[in-house]
């Protein structure tokens, strides 16, 4: 559905249970219907693009993008604690490529077809162009070279995978997430006379949010704005927003707010857009002694993390061995069933199933009863094990990176909502230009910040960056309100070192090259210069000191092609061999929430027209320039980039620092 026919779409929708005389409700429903139409546009375009890519892109390119493994080794198969058939999968080649498999992502197993056609994108013969899908599944665990995939429990599927040569696995189109978001929007649209309807009408109007009244609680270990944020969260009857610019201790503040809320409530729900963010805040809560139940497997895999997952706790329950035995008996009965089975067979099977359900419910009730915090991704909050669960307070971290529809998925379970994030950093990922133009990337948190500034608390003291590195971001994005804590104000690696420099590639032969829509652009000369300058800085600092003090480096580029090329060159360069564990290379999105002592940004774009593509999304640049603790090096063509006011001002600012101003 295209956006220009949205009005026609509205006319066709039957909006039941809506008070036509209430303009706020009508406006609210209109906004949600608009979101649904835009989400449908995004869904249709992404689905079609996926189909086209799978038809047009050769296997080699899918592997290089991190979207496929081939060939793979199939390991053991077993039934997990949720009674799902699980298959172990091992990568046997291309281990140096960073893959995109993670918990919850849909995948398919395939067998390649030999094809000697030319791959038009690479001008090379791709002998593995076509493939036959064997079965689909879902990633339940993934690390560098091993993953566990749950697949439909069909007779012989596991055996077929284990006995077939040339098996591969790749990412598949994610229907489930879209389905859950559509259902959440429909639920919010239809809501009437309940808490969900109240929150819906509140969020999309200028109506004043309600608050509780009590004296300010002091937290001497927090700064003044963090303390204010915690108190405002506690006072909020409907909604609160914690706006945390880079390095201002948003997670610390949120953990404190959750901890204090648990003194007043028996249980809260904590969600985030990504598994990584859920893991991070869960770890911090566990460190405070808070019993956490993590729904979904963590991406930050370690024993501490695994121990508070639902699956691990379920398997550790004293009643689980009995449940496992009953499930095994049910599977054996089904596999050994004879035609014309007697009534006795059916009765026995029903008794076993009834007993299994009884034990499952008992274990589930105990696990949820013992936990104080239930943690999951926004989509994960719809997990079947969450059925019937209700909470007074829902905390949504990374709210500025979540699609509006995704935030409504857990909203059915709650009375009030606390949003935390920074809408001046990375936005939600929207692939459809039409949906982007229509406003799909505008988040629920942004709407609330606009409509209800009184519920927003801005954290203003940052503890990450040298003051000079911080200042431009503070002035441009936060009205100069963010300041550096005294202990980091002048932090640096070398005496009399400049905290920020811009190495201008104008007038050199460092030109960009287009390498395809998926990878974007590459600038090999700029990449070579990037590594040259890093080597010079290492030598200036002292190679042994780098190792002794574990001075870490992040190299950021907006383009995947540049990221992969830089990774390859670092591996080839003998000088960097001792320091490889200290050097990370990734896209801007890959560095969200992270920090390094030294950050080098390779901007890539270099042309005579001043075209900078998606570098014009300034929120991404805000993320990039605020990852550095002590040293920020920007590599880029100042002439090309200065056509855009932001980069012109940034270049001038760095030049002022270089001139000692």
């Amino acid at each position: 559905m295209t956006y220009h026919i949205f009005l026609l779409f509205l006319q066709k929708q039957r909006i039941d249970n809506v008070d036509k005389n209430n303009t706020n409700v009508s406006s609210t429903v209109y906004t949600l219907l608009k979101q649904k139409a835009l989400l449908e546009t995004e869904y249709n375009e992404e689905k079609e693009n996926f189909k086209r890519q799978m038809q047009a892109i050769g296997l080699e390119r899918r592997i290089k993008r991190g979207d496929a493994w081939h060939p793979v080794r199939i390991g053991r198969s077993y039934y997990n604690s949720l009674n799902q058939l699980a298959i172990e999968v091992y990568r046997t080649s291309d281990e140096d490529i960073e893959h995109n498999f993670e918990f919850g992502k849909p995948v398919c197993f395939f067998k390649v077809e030999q094809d000697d056609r030319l791959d038009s994108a690479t001008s090379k013969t791709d002998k593995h162009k076509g493939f036959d899908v064997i079965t689909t599944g879902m990633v339940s665990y993934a690390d560098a070279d091993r993953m566990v995939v749950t697949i439909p429990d069909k007779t012989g599927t596991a055996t077929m995978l284990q006995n077939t040569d040339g098996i591969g696995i790749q990412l598949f189109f994610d229907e489930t997430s879209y389905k859950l978001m559509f259902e959440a929007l429909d639920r919010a649209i239809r809501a009437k006379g309940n808490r969900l309807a109240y929150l819906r009408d509140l969020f999309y109007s200028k109506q004043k949010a309600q608050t509780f009244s009590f004296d300010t609680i002091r937290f001497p270990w927090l700064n003044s704005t963090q303390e204010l944020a915690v108190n405002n969260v506690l006072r909020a009857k409907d909604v609160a927003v914690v706006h945390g610019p880079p390095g201002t201790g948003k997670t610390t503040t949120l953990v404190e707010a959750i901890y204090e809320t648990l003194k007043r409530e028996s249980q809260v729900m904590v969600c985030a857009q990504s598994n990584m963010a859920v893991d991070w805040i869960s770890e911090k809560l566990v460190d405070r002694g808070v019993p956490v139940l993590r729904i979904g497997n963590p991406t930050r895999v370690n024993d501490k993390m695994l121990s508070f997952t639902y699956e691990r706790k379920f398997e550790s329950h004293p009643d689980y061995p009995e449940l496992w035995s009953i499930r095994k008996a049910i599977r054996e009965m089904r596999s050994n069933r004879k035609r014309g089975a007697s009534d006795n067979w059916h009765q026995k099977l029903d008794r076993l199933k009834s007993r299994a359900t009884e034990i499952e419910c008992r274990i589930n009730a105990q696990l949820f009863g013992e936990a104080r915090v239930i943690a999951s991704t926004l989509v994960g909050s719809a997990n079947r094990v969450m059925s019937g669960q209700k909470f007074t307070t829902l905390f949504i971290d990374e709210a500025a990176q979540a699609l509006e529809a995704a935030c409504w998925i857990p909203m059915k379970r709650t009375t009030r909502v606390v949003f935390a994030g920074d809408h001046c950093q990375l936005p939600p990922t929207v692939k459809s230009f039409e949906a982007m133009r229509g406003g799909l990337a505008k988040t629920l948190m942004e709407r609330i910040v606009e409509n209800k500034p009184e519920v927003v608390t801005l954290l203003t003291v940052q503890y990450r960056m040298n003051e000079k590195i911080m200042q431009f971001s503070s002035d441009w994005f936060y009205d100069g309100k963010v300041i550096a804590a005294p202990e980091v104000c002048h932090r640096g690696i070398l005496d009399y070192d400049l905290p920020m420099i811009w190495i201008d590639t104008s007038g050199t032969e460092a030109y960009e090259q287009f390498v395809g829509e998926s990878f974007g652009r590459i600038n090999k000369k700029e990449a070579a210069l990037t590594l040259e300058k890093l080597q010079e800085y290492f030598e200036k600092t002292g190679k042994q000191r780098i190792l002794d003090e574990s001075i870490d480096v992040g190299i950021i580029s907006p383009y995947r092609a540049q990221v992969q090329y830089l990774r390859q060159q670092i591996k080839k360069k003998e000088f960097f061999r001792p320091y490889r564990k200290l050097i990370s290379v990734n896209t801007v999105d890959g560095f969200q929430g992270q920090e390094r002592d030294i950050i080098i940004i390779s901007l890539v774009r270099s042309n005579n027209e001043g075209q900078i593509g998606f570098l014009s999304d300034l929120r991404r640049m805000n993320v990039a320039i605020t990852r550095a603790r002590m040293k920020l090096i920007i590599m880029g063509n100042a002439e090309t980039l200065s056509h855009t006011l932001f980069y012109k001002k940034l270049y001038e600012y760095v030049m002022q620092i270089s001139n000692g101003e």
Side-chain angles (χ1 to χ4, degrees), residues 185-225:
L185 288 174
D186 286 338
R187 187 164 50 246
I189 290 167
R190 293 193 305 267
K192 185 180 180 181
N194 55 17
R195 189 64 183 175
L196 184 64
Y198 174 81
L199 292 176
R200 174 199 66 196
D201 300 336
L202 177 70
F203 292 167
Y204 294 101
S205 70
K206 298 290 184 179
Q207 179 183 337
K208 191 174 178 62
Q210 300 181 61
T211 57
F212 299 107
S213 295
F214 55 80
D215 293 336
T216 298
I217 302 172
R218 299 297 177 190
F219 302 96
W221 51 93
L222 301 179
N223 65 49
S224 58
T225 55

Side-chain angles (χ1 to χ4, degrees), residues 256 392 498:
E256 197 65 49
T392 301
L498 294 172

